[in-house]
């Protein structure tokens, strides 16, 4: 069998009914029950019924995406899927990867990511921050454009905009204060970006404005016992595999207010000998990114019984 990585999606891939196709799969049912017990609410009902607006609230999005990723992982194992050589997750997805690796239990992770979501929302009030996706421009030019936009506000200004998600070679997400993000969109389009799309999000995730959330997370993580990973996990913030729980904890703290280095992460997976990337959880966003970053990688997704079987077949035929 080929050497492969499992990668877990973050916010943005959630959808009402995203676990319905699993039917009454025992592994998925058990995962939903564990999460419901840990959070004190009916997570299965929230995912099945929504509404979309409720799933889109950060305080709900982060737990449900964690649950969806872990459910797909457990279903994969229950159906005889092999263990990957390495795990990774995009932003919030890193927590799903850590559960899969045995660093956190789902009972620990579900309240933790809800705490993370609440801390992020409290760090910057709704409407004060913003994020935008910049398409058709190299990341170095996006970084330069952000600096240009920030400089336009003058020395001592509190306005800030930064490149925060390096998703693929020609897609970078920026975040910061609303005025600075809007200014950067203007600058970047004038500098040649194909599109600059404001995102429907409630906070400027992964920007330096999230430092209060990172510090709150530091305090919370100090109360949680982490185990050594049973499968290597490549983190976003350093593009590194850590084995010491203390270093994993510190990386999670810095990740909240630091960039998601996804292009480098996929390149690092490939450098470790991985020849296939399997996205574990709703959607095909990360599988698509992987192909754009490293076209020679095989890529697939696991989000229902059919895609699980397809992914198993892919791995057996690309060995």
């Amino acid at each position: 069998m080929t050497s492969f990585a499992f990668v877990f999606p973050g916010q943005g891939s959630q959808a009402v009914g995203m676990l319905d196709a699993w039917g009454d799969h025992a592994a998925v049912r058990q995962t939903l029950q564990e999460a419901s017990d840990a959070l004190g609410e009916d997570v299965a009902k929230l995912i099945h019924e929504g509404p979309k607006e409720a799933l889109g609230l950060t305080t709900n999005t982060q737990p449900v995406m964690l649950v969806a990723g872990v459910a797909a992982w457990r279903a994969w194992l229950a159906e005889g899927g092999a263990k990957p050589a390495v795990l990774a997750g995009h932003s919030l997805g890193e927590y799903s990867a850590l559960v899969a690796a045995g660093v956190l239990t789902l009972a620990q992770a579900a309240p933790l990511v809800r705490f993370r979501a609440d801390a992020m929302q409290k760090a910057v009030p709704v409407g004060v921050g913003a994020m935008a996706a910049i398409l058709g421009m190299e990341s170095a030019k996006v970084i330069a454009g952000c600096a240009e936009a920030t400089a336009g506000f003058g020395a001592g200004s509190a306005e800030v905009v930064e490149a925060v998600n390096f998703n693929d070679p020609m897609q970078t997400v920026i975040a910061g204060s609303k005025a600075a993000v809007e200014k950067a969109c203007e600058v970047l389009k004038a500098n040649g970006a194909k599109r600059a799309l404001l995102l429907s999000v409630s906070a400027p995730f992964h920007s330096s404005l999230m430092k209060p959330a990172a510090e709150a997370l530091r305090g919370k993580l100090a109360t949680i016992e982490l185990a050594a990973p049973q499968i290597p996990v490549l983190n976003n913030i350093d593009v590194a595999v850590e084995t010491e729980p203390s270093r994993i904890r510190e990386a999670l703290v810095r990740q909240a207010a630091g960039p998601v280095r996804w292009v480098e992460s996929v390149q690092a997976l490939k450098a470790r000998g991985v020849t296939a990337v399997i996205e574990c959880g709703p959607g095909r966003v990360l599988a698509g990114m992987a192909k754009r970053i490293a076209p020679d990688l095989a890529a697939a997704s696991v989000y229902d019984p059919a895609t699980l079987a397809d992914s198993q077949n892919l791995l057996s035929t690309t060995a």
Side-chain angles (χ1 to χ4, degrees), residues 183-206:
K183 178 65 175 177
C185 287
E186 294 174 11
V187 169
L188 291 164
K189 282 192 284 189
N191 290 354
K194 285 186 179 179
R195 300 181 77 184
L197 305 172
L198 285 171
L199 301 179
S200 179
V201 294
S202 56
F205 302 118
H206 296 291

Side-chain angles (χ1 to χ4, degrees), residues 147-161:
E148 182 182 338
T150 302
F153 289 98
S157 170
E159 302 292 344
V160 61
V161 58

Side-chain angles (χ1 to χ4, degrees), residues 44-141:
K45 182 178 180 182
L46 174 62
I47 293 174
H48 175 62
E49 297 181 4
K52 179 181 177 181
E53 293 74 21
L55 278 191
L57 294 172
T58 297
T59 188
N60 288 331
T61 307
Q62 296 201 24
V64 299
M65 283 303 298
L66 168 81
V67 169
V70 172
W73 164 253
R74 290 179 173 179
W76 171 264
L77 295 180
E79 299 301 324
K83 287 192 176 181
V86 59
L87 303 164
H90 189 282
S91 183
L92 165 73
E94 194 166 298
Y95 287 79
S96 304
L98 290 169
V99 173
V103 175
L104 288 163
T105 65
L106 182 58
Q108 289 174 314
L112 175 60
V113 298
R114 172 153 283 170
F115 179 91
R116 178 181 184 264
D118 288 339
M120 285 177 157
Q121 196 58 76
K122 289 173 183 173
V124 180
V126 174
V128 174
M131 299 181 77
I134 310 303
L135 308 179
M137 178 176 271
E138 296 171 357
S139 60
K141 292 181 180 179

Side-chain angles (χ1 to χ4, degrees), residues 168-169 263 266-267 270 274-277 287-299:
D168 72 33
V263 172
V266 172
Q267 291 168 340
K270 185 179 174 184
V274 164
T275 56
V277 171
M289 287 180 188
K291 292 296 288 184
R292 292 192 293 275
I293 295 165
D296 54 338
L297 286 176

